[in-house]
Amino acid sequence: MRAVTFQAPGEVRVSEKPDPEITAPGEAVIRVEASGICGSDLHIYHGRVAIEPGFTIGHEYVGTVVEAGDDVTGVKAGDRVLGTYGTACGDCFFCDRGDFHKCDRGRVFGHGELLGALQGSQADLLLVPNADLTLRRVPEGMSDEVALFAGDV
């Protein structure tokens, strides 16, 4: 698949990377149809946030579920979805209270090893852990451009 990868401050490129594969029953793979560029991506680009060369960037996305693990019940293959900037564990003190943004084991897409090693969404395909917590169906008739804004907030 193609993916936008960080190489060095001021340098990104489209690289060929292996397609992601489901390795846990709560994961899903989506085909990314729209992905935004956020100020957080610009921090990486300008070298203010250090990530590894070759890491796929991006964390705002809309797409279609290609495959869902056996434990995923909220979405299924063929569903149009949007996702949040990261994912929560679902089990810690904060997640139990519904404060997923404060998750003790939260991970952020496209921000390297330091923030959880989740490859980013500026790619053809994206592996989404904890898919039931992370993905939401896009309402019928809503454009990708409009749905894209919901994922980052």
Side-chain angles (χ1 to χ4, degrees):
M1 70 165 186
R2 294 169 304 160
V4 177
T5 59
F6 174 83
Q7 300 303 313
E11 182 185 350
V12 296
R13 74 171 64 125
V14 176
S15 303
E16 287 293 324
K17 296 186 90 170
D19 290 358
E21 296 180 3
I22 290 177
T23 60
E27 296 175 339
V29 173
I30 68 161
R31 180 178 56 252
V32 178
E33 291 152 359
S35 181
I37 296 175
C38 175
S40 299
D41 299 313
L42 296 177
H43 294 314
I44 293 168
Y45 179 79
H46 292 296
R48 291 184 207 108
V49 174
I51 69 169
E52 304 75 35
F55 207 87
T56 304
I57 60 174
H59 61 271
E60 300 170 337
Y61 56 95
V62 174
T64 299
V65 177
V66 174
E67 181 182 8
D70 292 340
D71 289 353
V72 178
T73 59
V75 298
K76 63 185 183 318
D79 284 347
R80 227 170 119 237
V81 295
L82 62 85
T84 62
Y85 63 93
T87 188
C89 73
D91 297 321
C92 70
F93 169 80
F94 292 110
C95 287
D96 285 345
R97 292 177 40 177
D99 292 331
F100 301 110
H101 63 290
K102 294 180 180 179
C103 176
D104 286 334
R105 294 184 299 272
R107 300 164 69 195
V108 179
F109 290 102
H111 278 71
E113 294 290 328
L114 182 65
L115 292 178
L118 293 178
Q119 294 293 321
S121 62
Q122 292 179 16
D124 291 325
L125 297 168
L126 178 66
L127 179 67
V128 180
N130 299 332
D132 282 338
L133 282 175
T134 308
L135 298 174
R136 297 292 179 262
R137 286 193 194 118
V138 174
E140 192 68 36
M142 182 180 285
S143 72
D144 288 348
E145 292 78 15
V146 171
L148 188 57
F149 287 106
D152 199 38
V153 294

